[in-house]
Amino acid sequence: MPLTAQTANETIIHPEIIEEYQTNGFIHIPNILSDEQVDRYQKAALGIHENLKNLDHCKTAILDQFVNMWQVDPIMRELTLNPKIAAIAQKLAGTTLRLWHDHLLIKRPQNNAPTEWHQDQPYWPHHNSTHPVSVWIALCDVPAEKGCMSFIPGSQKYTQLSPQNLGVSRSLFSLQPSLEWDPTITIPLKAGDCTFHHGRTAHTASANQTNDPRVAHVIIYVDEVTTYDGTPHVTTDPLNLTPNQKLQGNLFPPVQQFEALNQA
């Protein structure tokens, strides 16, 4: 049975898929993008990388990362504000969502640096967000040796963990030792495939051992009612928000506005 079906106006998500996502904390959905879309977005992503790769704040030992590209590049804006992808995320979450930020991730060839096990949400300065969703879109084929992701099913239930140290391989397991003994699932992706995962689902990505860059684009959504908790973060630092202020405005549009924004 296909995971999704298309009608004239929406993407239908089968109830079994929603149940699997909510149980395991992640789901793989193939062919979220067509071959033509992959080619368009990959070219835009690699162009951004070429222009910005030497900026110190975009480089880490693990990968090159570029936040909120939807604000500066019209082609990536089209992808980040894709209303069908957002609608799937909202149905999986079971609540109304808004954009937190996007994240273009380029794992350099032969980088020999895995992304260690971690949860995403502990890094975010949020209150009132219990259903955050990250969509990890492969803009090239991502087999295991190129840096695909693995997940620990059900790990989204650990909502109390503090931010993990990505420079320490056992950081997550030092905080929650039982996770080390849980089964893991590795999901290689074809170009145009994606995974949706809850912001508390533990995941890792292997090193890129190939001679080509691994190109992925991540769209992160949070509950529409999310508020700022006062913790420093690159996305909110320039905004002078006060604690308990609701995330809203042009930088954090609700999913319901995506179609109109993409046509503006």
Side-chain angles (χ1 to χ4, degrees):
M1 181 181 69
L3 301 181
T4 64
Q6 300 290 333
T7 69
N9 298 311
E10 66 174 338
T11 299
I12 298 171
I13 306 297
H14 297 296
E16 295 89 343
I17 300 309
I18 297 175
E19 181 179 2
E20 181 177 342
Y21 171 83
Q22 294 182 350
T23 298
N24 290 335
F26 64 93
I27 194 75
H28 169 207
I29 296 186
N31 304 315
I32 201 81
L33 300 177
S34 67
D35 291 345
E36 293 77 15
Q37 287 175 311
V38 168
D39 183 65
R40 173 176 170 80
Y41 299 135
Q42 183 193 91
K43 287 178 179 176
L46 291 174
I48 290 169
H49 184 235
E50 183 62 28
N51 290 331
L52 302 179
K53 64 182 179 181
N54 293 321
L55 296 178
D56 288 342
H57 70 274
C58 296
K59 300 173 69 173
T60 73
I62 300 171
L63 43 69
D64 298 340
Q65 53 187 335
F66 311 92
V67 175
N68 275 338
M69 289 300 97
W70 77 280
Q71 289 277 297
V72 298
D73 185 273
I75 297 177
M76 300 314 293
R77 177 185 179 90
E78 180 184 298
L79 176 55
T80 296
L81 299 183
N82 184 300
K84 289 187 177 181
I85 295 175
I88 294 172
Q90 195 159 256
K91 289 175 181 178
L92 292 173
T95 191
T96 54
L97 301 174
R98 66 171 64 248
L99 182 66
W100 168 224
H101 64 74
D102 68 14
H103 208 53
L104 176 60
L105 304 177
I106 309 290
K107 191 163 272 195
R108 298 178 294 274
Q110 299 292 343
N111 76 329
N112 197 34
T115 306
E116 302 292 355
W117 285 103
H118 66 285
Q119 299 172 312
D120 292 331
Q121 192 179 37
Y123 301 100
W124 300 336
H126 297 161
H127 282 312
N128 305 314
S129 181
T130 55
H131 305 88
V133 182
S134 293
V135 187
W136 201 100
I137 305 170
L139 296 182
C140 63
D141 289 346
V142 188
E145 64 270 20
K146 200 169 188 175
C148 75
M149 293 215 292
S150 299
F151 301 90
I152 301 179
S155 52
Q156 75 277 11
K157 68 185 178 184
Y158 296 106
T159 60
Q160 80 288 358
L161 301 185
S162 57
Q164 295 97 53
N165 184 345
L166 289 176
V168 177
S169 62
R170 295 184 50 77
S171 179
L172 174 68
F173 304 126
S174 69
L175 294 170
Q176 187 61 50
S178 63
L179 284 173
E180 189 167 12
W181 306 103
D182 286 350
T184 65
I185 295 179
T186 299
I187 305 181
L189 300 177
K190 296 289 290 181
D193 291 359
C194 76
T195 56
F196 291 75
H197 70 265
H198 187 281
R200 287 278 177 175
T201 302
H203 57 285
T204 184
S206 53
N208 182 5
Q209 303 173 45
T210 73
N211 294 322
D212 298 307
R214 188 211 68 185
V215 187
H217 188 64
V218 183
I219 310 168
I220 307 172
Y221 313 92
V222 293
D223 299 55
E224 193 273 335
V225 296
T226 298
T227 56
Y228 175 61
D229 74 1
T231 305
H233 189 278
V234 63
T235 301
T236 47
D237 287 350
L239 303 179
N240 297 316
L241 300 179
T242 57
N244 300 316
Q245 184 175 343
K246 185 177 179 180
L247 292 186
Q248 56 190 348
N250 294 337
L251 200 60
F252 313 111
V255 162
Q256 288 83 349
Q257 295 180 7
F258 279 19
E259 189 164 1
L261 288 171
N262 234 338
Q263 294 173 354

